[in-house]
Amino acid sequence: QLVESGGGSVQAGGSLRLSCVASEYTLRYCMGCFRQTPGKEREGVAVRDNYGRTTYADSVKGRFTISKDNAKNTLFLQMNNLQPEDSAMYYCAADPRSGGYCYTPLNVYQYNAWGQGTQVTVS
């Protein structure tokens, strides 16, 4: 089970930190954050494998940082310098089948465990 929180409304240039609480076992998987706006396909934003390797979408490089805190059983997405085009529903996802590796990191079809989503609105 993946439970996201931390979404909200901010002005352009602002910051938010999304949290995704998961079991300690799930945190060992390839995990990522995705987003979706109405009428568009879900897209990969940032992913992290169990070995600390990260992958970011070009549109968020230098602004977003994905990390995890094992003591808190939580995956974080720190989002800085938010822009209106970052507005979307953000989802946490995990791939329990890959042994902790992210073979196709930003490919939404790699992941089969999803949270309920949290809305981010940037004006």
Side-chain angles (χ1 to χ4, degrees):
Q1 184 179 11
L2 306 174
V3 180
E4 301 106 328
S5 63
S9 297
V10 296
Q11 292 187 338
S15 298
L16 286 173
R17 188 175 75 160
L18 304 185
S19 299
C20 174
V21 177
S23 72
E24 64 175 292
Y25 300 105
T26 301
L27 283 177
R28 298 173 188 171
Y29 302 148
C30 171
M31 293 190 70
C33 296
F34 295 76
R35 65 187 181 189
Q36 188 171 22
T37 54
K40 293 188 176 181
E41 291 188 356
R42 193 168 297 187
E43 63 174 0
V45 175
V47 300
R48 185 188 188 282
D49 71 14
N50 190 41
Y51 309 99
R53 291 173 291 220
T54 57
T55 303
Y56 295 94
D58 287 343
S59 59
V60 306
K61 283 181 181 177
R63 301 189 297 124
F64 290 14
T65 303
I66 191 169
S67 63
K68 73 174 181 178
D69 185 332
N70 290 325
K72 297 181 179 179
N73 286 354
T74 303
L75 183 78
F76 294 105
L77 182 68
Q78 178 66 44
M79 305 185 294
N80 297 329
N81 191 22
L82 283 160
Q83 300 300 313
E85 53 266 34
D86 296 317
S87 297
M89 184 71 78
Y90 282 71
Y91 297 91
C92 180
D95 175 14
R97 302 166 294 182
S98 63
Y101 295 96
C102 298
Y103 293 108
T104 54
L106 298 177
N107 181 357
V108 63
Y109 297 105
Q110 174 175 333
Y111 302 85
N112 66 353
W114 294 88
Q116 83 285 356
T118 186
Q119 180 68 39
V120 171
T121 303
V122 186
S123 59

